[in-house]
Amino acid sequence: MAGLAYTLGKREINYYFSVRSAKALALAAVLLLAACHAASRRYRGDDTCEYLLSSGRFLGEKVWQPHSCMMHKYKNSEAKSCLIDKHIVFLGDSRIRQLFYSFIKIINPQIKEEGNKHGNIPFEDKSASIKVDFLWYPEVNGSMRQRIKSWTEGSVAKPHIIVAGAATWSIKIHNGSNEALTQYKINITSIAPLLEKLAKSSDVYWILQDPVYEDMLSESRKMITNEKIDAYNEAAVRILNSSSRNSKAKVKVFSVSKLIAQETIMKSSDGLHLPESSRDMNAMILMNVYCNKIMKPIDGSCCQPQPPLTLIQKLAFCFFTLSIIGYFVISLIHRNNYRKNKSCTDLEIGEEKKPTINTPSVSTLEMLLHCFCKLGLIMTYFYLCDRANLFMKENKFYTHSSFFIPIVYILVLGVFYTENTKETKVLNREQTDEWKGWMQLVILIYHISGASTFLPVYMHIRVLVAAYLFQTGYGHFSYFWIKGDFGVYRVCQVLFRLNFLVVVLCIVMDRPYQFYYFVPLVTVWFMIIYATLAMWPQIVQKKANGNCLWHFGLLLKLICLLACIYFLSYSQGAFEKVFSFWPLSKCFELNGNVYEWWFRWKLDRYVVFHGMLFAFIYLALQKHQMISEGKGDPLFSSRVSNVLLFISIVSFLTYSIWASSCKNKAECNELHPSVSVVQILAFILIRNIPGYVRSVYSSFFAWFGKISLELFICQYHIWLAADTKGILVLIPGYPMFNVIVSTFIFVCVAHEISQITNDLAQIVVPKDNSTLLKRLLCIAGFFSGLLFFSAMQEQSRH
């Protein structure tokens, strides 16, 4: 009865919720969300600096998340590059002095809080010509006004950044009297025009007063109440910028410190001054406000303007626009022709006339334009998500629950959609799709949760990436060994399916090919496998079956391949020379060098070879009928199967224990290439030795496995954000609901791109050799033009 209910439940879900209806729902959600965000931006403004200075929330205890944008954590080298030849002044009381110290510690982490607490404190970094001064002005009075006025006079050099604020001393000295508040209003009214004048040429920040923890205040500070602080803050906000409401040159009111203090002031040592972690947050916010527009960090979207379109992006926009227009024109013409040629009854003989059949060339053109039309709309969504300021972005924040709870969810769904396999061979198509599917889902959860900061999870994810490459070695070796098909058509089909989406994204998103590192990695390994097996003498299974000596010839080829891998992995210079030749360098350089490519390649350098070797051994055992692959049968005899299962389980657990005990990433990464195959082989044996396990698979995981490549690539821009550094926020304020909606749209888009790629592959890579040669010449011309425009683009940037 339970089994019947289980089957009926799956049928109900599949009947009422098809892929087509899901895509229609995703399209409606995108249009609605885009309209809502556009209206919100128009109503509230799109200045993320305002959000950074005024609003946000805590992620955990120590991570501050601004509303709608991402903060970058500046290193001292980055801070020096941004602030080179700059003069910064902090003007105010002891709270401003603490902020001053937190700020200069970003520039020089070795600095210590020394000097006269109630006096001026200078700081200078001669290597970058940076001057940061703290000026002791605990009250907003005539002395502070005179200092600010001196900067407005032409003879005195103005600071590039001015950070000011004071109030608690006025409350303390005058015992919280109303007369002191009135005088504060008068003083700040006299200072405001001077600050606004400075704001035309400098960045001026007024720090609002943080709340206090009244229970912890000393007797001499009991008069400093939160009610009084709120009154002083209200006066400052009302008076500042009152004379320049329509001007862009305004004093920037730094009110976010109040929000931070509300959560952390109870950890204060005296009830008045913020704990060090909170002061550091405020200093980092200041650094982001000023430096993001200069340094343009990928993971710092706050205060960054939308990047200008490059020449190649403009050309891509024109191409997709013309494709959309062309598709609608041709569709309209075909619809009119269909109406004219619609079958009708002949009045004389009473027979129906057949409609005119469209010529293949027209239908091919229409299909091509239809694909580019859909792709153009999808790329617009990509651009809006990760290059425009329409949708919001937030930083990642790792917790164990954010990673492991979704893992449990997908495991339950995977088990729910369990079905019998069509074949029971080791690593059959359904099983490999299932394997790719659950691995890809785990990797996606790893990326969105920011689990790379947790070393044991990082090491297991490294194994999953290695397993993908293992399947690359296994799958392509098996195909070439069994089929013996080394034709150009096969190579072009594989290369097109692997690289089409990445090439389009490189153009639309203005990113180098190596940025999407996994696709170059798989592409290069495919070409290495092809070259190894295709070069003379070509050894395939059919030839080797006639003479066993050919098996030794193939093993000799594999040994030579292993020797080349070993040499290149320990000779960085030789590797870089190979991939630094133009035009290869255009594909494999990142930030001006190929080091990142060498590091990525070296990290999993042996696993593809292991996949090829495993395929060779497995196919040899299969050919000599040394394994049993019948439905429900164990792979080997009962005794051998039990021993291998025990060894596999122990090996699997041993690797996990080792990965969990690693001390740092560098140490783990050094051993990973040699030991990752242990867990991969252990998994394959555990999954395939028992006959009943080999006879079933999860259709849920297999569905995702079929679009795993698209999921991996698309996540960069429409699920994550800022090139995977952050999280896309479609629905602000509801993190879980946002993840559900963005994930739904992301999966639908990935599936549609997979279908578009398959359709275009049939057109762009035909089986006819002469036609294929013409297409290859066209593709070569396209890439030549791309290199030309890229060179022009680089020249204009410099």
Side-chain angles (χ1 to χ4, degrees), residues 561-581:
L561 173 62
L562 181 62
C564 291
I565 293 169
Y566 184 83
F567 170 74
L568 289 174
S569 64
Y570 287 99
S571 178
Q572 184 180 348
F575 185 93
E576 290 183 352
K577 281 182 181 178
V578 171
F579 290 97
S580 293
F581 283 113

Side-chain angles (χ1 to χ4, degrees), residues 230-280:
D230 289 342
Y232 277 72
N233 283 338
E234 187 182 340
V237 171
R238 188 174 67 252
I239 294 166
L240 290 171
N241 299 318
S242 58
S243 63
S244 59
R245 292 193 180 279
N246 297 321
S247 172
K248 290 184 179 179
K250 289 186 177 182
V251 177
K252 299 176 177 68
V253 178
F254 195 94
S255 59
V256 70
S257 180
K258 287 169 49 186
L259 299 179
I260 294 171
Q262 285 170 4
E263 300 290 332
T264 61
I265 192 63
M266 63 285 300
K267 297 178 182 177
S268 169
S269 59
D270 57 8
L272 178 68
H273 299 99
L274 289 178
E276 187 176 0
S277 61
S278 302
R279 289 151 32 198
D280 292 345

Side-chain angles (χ1 to χ4, degrees), residues 576-594:
E576 290 183 352
K577 281 182 181 178
V578 171
F579 290 97
S580 293
F581 283 113
W582 190 90
L584 274 181
S585 58
K586 298 295 291 182
C587 294
F588 296 101
E589 280 185 356
L590 193 64
N591 301 322
N593 59 68
V594 296

Side-chain angles (χ1 to χ4, degrees), residues 445-592:
I445 294 168
Y446 164 82
H447 281 154
I448 199 169
S449 63
S452 60
T453 56
F454 186 48
L455 192 55
V457 172
Y458 167 81
M459 287 310 301
H460 283 85
I461 296 299
R462 290 272 14 121
V463 174
L464 299 190
V465 174
Y468 267 101
L469 294 170
F470 181 93
Q471 285 196 50
T472 297
Y474 172 84
H476 291 307
F477 178 91
S478 299
Y479 178 87
F480 290 128
W481 176 248
I482 296 170
K483 301 280 188 181
D485 177 12
F486 296 99
V488 179
Y489 171 74
R490 165 71 181 177
V491 175
C492 292
Q493 277 276 322
V494 172
L495 293 180
F496 182 87
R497 290 174 188 274
L498 285 176
N499 291 277
F500 172 71
L501 176 58
V502 163
V503 170
V504 173
L505 285 177
C506 288
I507 294 168
V508 173
M509 306 304 287
D510 189 30
R511 283 291 173 262
Y513 179 63
Q514 183 53 37
F515 176 76
Y516 306 92
Y517 74 93
F518 186 74
V519 171
L521 200 58
V522 176
T523 300
V524 168
W525 276 117
F526 167 72
M527 294 306 298
I528 289 172
I529 296 166
Y530 176 80
T532 302
L533 297 177
M535 69 179 183
W536 183 89
Q538 284 186 5
I539 305 171
V540 295
Q541 189 180 57
K542 188 176 180 181
K543 182 186 286 187
N545 287 339
N547 188 342
C548 289
L549 289 176
W550 286 115
H551 285 93
F552 293 102
L554 180 64
L555 286 173
L556 186 61
K557 277 190 173 186
L558 293 178
I559 291 168
C560 291
L561 173 62
L562 181 62
C564 291
I565 293 169
Y566 184 83
F567 170 74
L568 289 174
S569 64
Y570 287 99
S571 178
Q572 184 180 348
F575 185 93
E576 290 183 352
K577 281 182 181 178
V578 171
F579 290 97
S580 293
F581 283 113
W582 190 90
L584 274 181
S585 58
K586 298 295 291 182
C587 294
F588 296 101
E589 280 185 356
L590 193 64
N591 301 322

Side-chain angles (χ1 to χ4, degrees), residues 231-443:
Y232 277 72
N233 283 338
E234 187 182 340
V237 171
R238 188 174 67 252
I239 294 166
L240 290 171
N241 299 318
S242 58
S243 63
S244 59
R245 292 193 180 279
N246 297 321
S247 172
K248 290 184 179 179
K250 289 186 177 182
V251 177
K252 299 176 177 68
V253 178
F254 195 94
S255 59
V256 70
S257 180
K258 287 169 49 186
L259 299 179
I260 294 171
Q262 285 170 4
E263 300 290 332
T264 61
I265 192 63
M266 63 285 300
K267 297 178 182 177
S268 169
S269 59
D270 57 8
L272 178 68
H273 299 99
L274 289 178
E276 187 176 0
S277 61
S278 302
R279 289 151 32 198
D280 292 345
M281 283 180 205
N282 289 327
M284 194 59 71
I285 290 170
L286 274 175
M287 192 68 72
N288 273 259
V289 172
Y290 185 78
C291 289
N292 281 3
K293 58 182 175 289
I294 299 170
M295 302 301 292
K296 295 181 173 59
I298 293 173
D299 61 341
S301 64
C302 299
C303 298
Q304 275 206 54
Q306 183 174 326
L309 287 171
T310 63
L311 174 62
I312 293 175
Q313 285 176 308
K314 289 175 183 176
L315 291 172
F317 174 78
C318 292
F319 172 78
F320 283 122
T321 302
L322 291 173
S323 296
I324 292 168
I325 294 169
Y327 171 69
F328 281 109
V329 168
I330 288 179
S331 296
L332 196 61
I333 292 170
H334 280 195
R335 186 173 294 179
N336 289 335
N337 289 341
Y338 176 76
R339 285 175 182 172
K340 289 177 183 178
N341 297 317
K342 191 175 181 181
S343 58
C344 58
T345 304
D346 191 303
L347 296 177
E348 292 184 3
I349 59 176
E351 293 179 354
E352 286 191 349
K353 295 179 180 178
K354 293 182 180 179
T356 305
I357 299 172
N358 292 329
T359 59
S361 59
V362 174
S363 62
T364 301
L365 178 62
E366 186 176 6
M367 184 179 175
L368 190 67
L369 289 174
H370 184 222
C371 288
F372 283 126
C373 175
K374 290 190 292 183
L375 189 63
L377 296 174
I378 290 171
M379 287 302 115
T380 302
Y381 179 62
F382 271 76
Y383 190 87
L384 290 176
C385 285
D386 211 24
R387 290 295 177 270
N389 291 325
L390 179 63
F391 298 117
M392 302 175 179
K393 304 174 180 70
E394 289 189 353
N395 295 90
K396 299 176 185 178
F397 178 68
Y398 175 72
T399 61
H400 291 319
S401 60
S402 67
F403 177 75
F404 290 104
I405 290 176
I407 295 291
V408 174
Y409 285 159
I410 65 164
L411 179 63
V412 171
L413 283 170
V415 172
F416 180 75
Y417 280 92
T418 300
E419 297 179 8
N420 292 326
T421 57
K422 293 176 182 176
E423 57 176 330
T424 55
K425 291 182 178 180
V426 173
L427 293 181
N428 59 70
R429 183 59 182 268
E430 290 166 332
Q431 190 183 124
T432 53
D433 283 341
E434 174 202 82
W435 192 6
K436 289 177 184 176
W438 70 256
M439 287 195 302
Q440 185 57 63
L441 292 175
V442 171
I443 290 171

Side-chain angles (χ1 to χ4, degrees), residues 80-314:
K80 287 181 181 181
S81 297
C82 168
L83 300 174
I84 190 168
D85 296 327
K86 296 293 187 293
H87 181 205
I88 303 106
V89 171
F90 286 78
L91 191 79
D93 56 15
S94 57
R95 287 176 159 187
I96 300 297
R97 184 185 66 242
Q98 287 186 316
L99 183 59
F100 157 79
Y101 273 117
S102 292
F103 188 85
I104 62 175
K105 281 179 181 178
I106 300 175
I107 302 169
N108 182 2
Q110 308 303 321
I111 204 76
K112 294 181 179 179
E113 298 188 20
E114 298 174 340
N116 183 7
K117 290 188 175 182
H118 293 172
N120 299 341
I121 305 172
F123 168 82
E124 186 174 3
D125 187 291
K126 294 183 179 179
S127 64
S129 300
I130 302 170
K131 282 184 66 179
V132 188
D133 293 321
F134 168 70
L135 304 180
W136 173 252
Y137 287 95
E139 288 190 88
V140 179
N141 53 21
S143 298
M144 181 184 281
R145 184 182 184 280
Q146 192 60 37
R147 169 64 76 168
I148 294 171
K149 186 180 179 182
S150 69
W151 290 326
T152 63
E153 297 170 355
S155 59
V156 179
K158 302 178 183 66
H160 299 91
I161 305 172
I162 300 166
V163 182
T168 55
W169 272 70
S170 297
I171 300 171
K172 178 184 175 182
I173 292 172
H174 301 285
N175 202 29
S177 66
N178 291 329
E179 291 78 10
L181 176 59
T182 303
Q183 187 60 47
Y184 180 84
K185 292 177 182 177
I186 293 168
N187 292 339
I188 203 167
T189 301
S190 68
I191 286 174
L194 300 174
L195 292 175
E196 290 165 18
K197 187 177 180 180
L198 282 171
K200 293 179 181 178
S201 57
S202 305
D203 277 35
V204 181
Y205 303 91
W206 186 266
I207 310 293
L208 294 186
Q209 294 300 301
D210 302 326
V212 296
Y213 191 43
E214 296 180 14
D215 296 341
M216 196 181 286
L217 291 174
S218 63
E219 287 300 321
S220 62
R221 292 171 175 167
K222 285 293 183 183
M223 71 292 294
I224 306 174
T225 63
N226 287 323
E227 184 180 354
K228 289 291 180 184
I229 285 174
D230 289 342
Y232 277 72
N233 283 338
E234 187 182 340
V237 171
R238 188 174 67 252
I239 294 166
L240 290 171
N241 299 318
S242 58
S243 63
S244 59
R245 292 193 180 279
N246 297 321
S247 172
K248 290 184 179 179
K250 289 186 177 182
V251 177
K252 299 176 177 68
V253 178
F254 195 94
S255 59
V256 70
S257 180
K258 287 169 49 186
L259 299 179
I260 294 171
Q262 285 170 4
E263 300 290 332
T264 61
I265 192 63
M266 63 285 300
K267 297 178 182 177
S268 169
S269 59
D270 57 8
L272 178 68
H273 299 99
L274 289 178
E276 187 176 0
S277 61
S278 302
R279 289 151 32 198
D280 292 345
M281 283 180 205
N282 289 327
M284 194 59 71
I285 290 170
L286 274 175
M287 192 68 72
N288 273 259
V289 172
Y290 185 78
C291 289
N292 281 3
K293 58 182 175 289
I294 299 170
M295 302 301 292
K296 295 181 173 59
I298 293 173
D299 61 341
S301 64
C302 299
C303 298
Q304 275 206 54
Q306 183 174 326
L309 287 171
T310 63
L311 174 62
I312 293 175
Q313 285 176 308
K314 289 175 183 176

